[in-house]
Amino acid sequence: MIRTEEEEDYTSPPWLMPMLRGSYFIPCSIHADSNKNECNMFCLDCAGAAFCSYCLVKHKDHRVVQIRRSSYHNVVRVNEIQKYIDISCVQTYIINSARIVFLNERPQPRIGKGVTNTCEICCRSLLDSFRFCSLGCKLGGMKRGDQSLTFSMKGKHGRDYQGGLESDEATTPTKLRKTKAFNRLMNGLSISTVRFDDYGPGGDQRSPNSGDEGGFSFSPGTPPIYNHRNSSRRKGIPHRAPF
């Protein structure tokens, strides 16, 4: 199925393809004599060639993302790119304590044993909840005519947002299980605390107006610690051994 120009603009921003095909980490021709002059910045508003950090003054108030390297592949941080496009169905990775997403496909010549899910474009092994390994592979899936895929931020309802942005850490089944287990633990602690507070030290049920302020205790009393070492008799005066 061939997409119309209107659909192409709606689902894929005009700057995405130039960003994916850009040449990065080459010396900047304008600041050739400066240190750290590699071109690792890309302006989404200009959608031109990559530039170095010294050229940022020319892109004031523009949307700029920084391209990074991981295993000789270009990546971008999730918290930077997810402000502008929908990266759902693309597997993300955590490198150097930062969640990143790869720009282009990374073909995998051999698929390991036990792999149950692979990228629909380049066949790289993935987790079961993802379909693509990079933004370029997702774009390739869209070009195949999959109408369920889009890069547009429109219509992203029912997702977890923090301050208008999608949460950096995606909700996974493992995190859901940990959250549920934590909630059950907290509920059990609160129930046991209430039951303990309802009864006095001798097992008699307390009245609502007995002793404590407000009639409630937020934590059970801590029992005294019995030290077995101090229970033994003290040693006598030491005697010197005979010559």
Side-chain angles (χ1 to χ4, degrees):
M1 182 180 296
I2 300 177
R3 294 176 180 267
T4 63
E5 293 183 0
E6 182 179 359
E7 290 176 331
E8 197 73 32
D9 293 340
Y10 177 80
T11 56
S12 177
W15 49 262
L16 181 60
M17 187 59 69
M19 184 183 72
L20 299 181
R21 294 180 177 178
S23 299
Y24 302 101
F25 302 99
I26 58 176
C28 178
S29 59
I30 301 176
H31 303 92
D33 298 332
S34 302
N35 295 327
K36 298 182 179 180
N37 62 346
E38 58 183 9
C39 297
N40 61 348
M41 313 294 291
F42 184 82
C43 180
L44 309 185
D45 295 320
C46 300
F51 52 90
C52 69
S53 57
Y54 299 104
C55 298
L56 276 175
V57 294
K58 300 180 181 179
H59 301 270
K60 186 178 180 181
D61 299 329
H62 287 189
R63 299 175 299 170
V64 177
V65 295
Q66 181 177 355
I67 308 301
R68 306 170 191 271
R69 271 286 174 91
S70 175
S71 303
Y72 303 100
H73 293 278
N74 298 328
V75 303
V76 62
R77 285 186 175 179
V78 171
N79 60 0
E80 293 183 20
I81 197 65
Q82 72 176 0
K83 303 175 185 178
Y84 313 113
I85 59 174
D86 179 6
I87 62 172
S88 59
C89 302
V90 181
Q91 180 165 320
T92 59
Y93 303 83
I94 296 180
I95 298 177
N96 295 332
S97 302
R99 189 173 293 275
I100 58 93
V101 61
F102 285 88
L103 296 189
N104 297 298
E105 62 182 22
R106 299 174 298 137
Q108 193 170 4
R110 293 182 179 180
I111 301 177
K113 296 181 180 180
V115 176
T116 59
N117 185 38
T118 59
C119 177
E120 297 179 7
I121 302 299
C122 67
C123 297
R124 174 164 287 273
S125 58
L126 301 174
L127 298 178
D128 293 338
S129 57
F130 299 98
R131 297 175 57 184
F132 307 101
C133 70
S134 64
L135 300 178
C137 289
K138 180 176 180 179
L139 182 60
M142 293 167 56
K143 291 182 177 180
R144 289 183 176 182
D146 191 339
Q147 298 295 329
S148 63
L149 298 175
T150 180
F151 282 112
S152 175
M153 299 292 289
K154 298 178 182 179
K156 292 183 65 177
H157 301 296
R159 296 199 175 186
D160 185 16
Y161 277 75
Q162 294 181 350
L165 301 179
E166 188 177 352
S167 175
D168 187 20
E169 297 187 359
T171 303
T172 60
T174 303
K175 289 190 176 183
L176 290 176
R177 289 195 298 268
K178 290 182 179 180
T179 303
K180 293 179 179 179
F182 178 77
N183 292 336
R184 288 196 299 268
L185 176 62
M186 295 303 297
N187 292 335
L189 289 175
S190 61
I191 293 174
S192 61
T193 302
V194 171
R195 290 179 177 176
F196 183 88
D197 293 339
D198 287 343
Y199 294 88
D204 299 332
Q205 188 172 5
R206 295 182 179 177
S207 61
N209 298 324
S210 60
D212 298 334
E213 290 185 9
F216 295 97
S217 176
F218 292 97
S219 60
T222 304
I225 300 176
Y226 185 76
N227 194 340
H228 294 277
R229 295 181 179 179
N230 296 335
S231 62
S232 59
R233 297 177 60 183
R234 298 187 62 181
K235 296 181 179 179
I237 302 175
H239 299 277
R240 181 176 298 177
F243 293 101

